[in-house]
Amino acid sequence: MTTVVDRIPGDRPVFSVEFMPPRDDADELRLWNAIRSLEGLDPAFVSVTYGAGGSSRDRTIRTTGRVVTETTLVSMAHLTAVDHSVAELRNVIGWYASLGIRNVLALRGDPQGDPNGEWVQHPEGLAYAEELVSLVRSLGDFCVGVSAFPYGHPRSADLDEDTKYLVRKLRAGADFAIAQLFFEADDFLRLRDRVAAAGCETLLLPGVMPLTTPKILSKTVELSGAPVPASLAGRLDPLAGDAKAFREEGMNVTTELCARLLAEGVPSLHFYTFNRSKATKEIVVERLGLVPGRTAQPVG
């Protein structure tokens, strides 16, 4: 099985995409339309989220398995420690292995029902993501990723402490890290600098979500834990009542962000898709030219 690290060559920029397990039949159709639409662009890998507290575990396993067996895509599964005993985690990891999945994103995860709620360790479970990394690595030849937070995890006292915990996850056996959402390229680049200053060399990938609607912008605030910068608000807020104009300017903002990251040597971009493909395809094909043989438009 090809690993995530294998799929990011370093000599040219690539991209990856993230999907969510479907909630119903209509969502499943939407998801698979997006998967088939992006498959021909040969993303470096695709991931399927696990859901808060493991609430979508079965759908995640089923969807990830279908990606492995029914597509040509390299698949990465998510795994969280929330509300799971070690025995249950071993069982899920075993399921992944039986499906031929060798790429796992190991997350401590958020409490079910309230992402900002109090973390409560399962009495027979794990307390930290670094323990989950070690567990996954102990059970097979897995390529393991972890999460990173450009603005620091909400439960970290400051950025120095947050960097310390990220480095511990990486040194526990993680092969790469994917950064949570952020608004400006410098936010990610400073994270990269902090990790390097700690003496840790790793593959660090930025998470990107095309800003196509005011709702997506609000979701980015929620997931990043940071307010919209004044410069960005000045570009997008006046367009909130004009869907077409907002999308165009939001896509311009996202394209500029991606172009700056690539110019700074970032080897791959990880797109959060919300199970849709149009915006991601437009950016990676038409605007950035990350797909060989396709022509990109000038940025700016």
Side-chain angles (χ1 to χ4, degrees), residues 144-181:
V144 183
V146 294
S147 60
F149 299 86
Y151 305 116
H153 190 280
R155 295 179 180 85
S156 292
D158 51 41
L159 290 178
D160 288 339
E161 181 181 84
D162 189 75
T163 303
K164 178 183 71 175
Y165 284 118
L166 173 56
V167 169
R168 283 173 57 171
K169 291 189 290 188
L170 293 165
R171 289 180 174 161
D175 301 282
F176 64 96
I178 299 177
Q180 186 53 275
L181 292 170

Side-chain angles (χ1 to χ4, degrees), residues 135-147:
L135 177 64
V136 175
R137 292 303 297 262
S138 73
L139 295 176
D141 185 21
F142 291 96
C143 177
V144 183
V146 294
S147 60

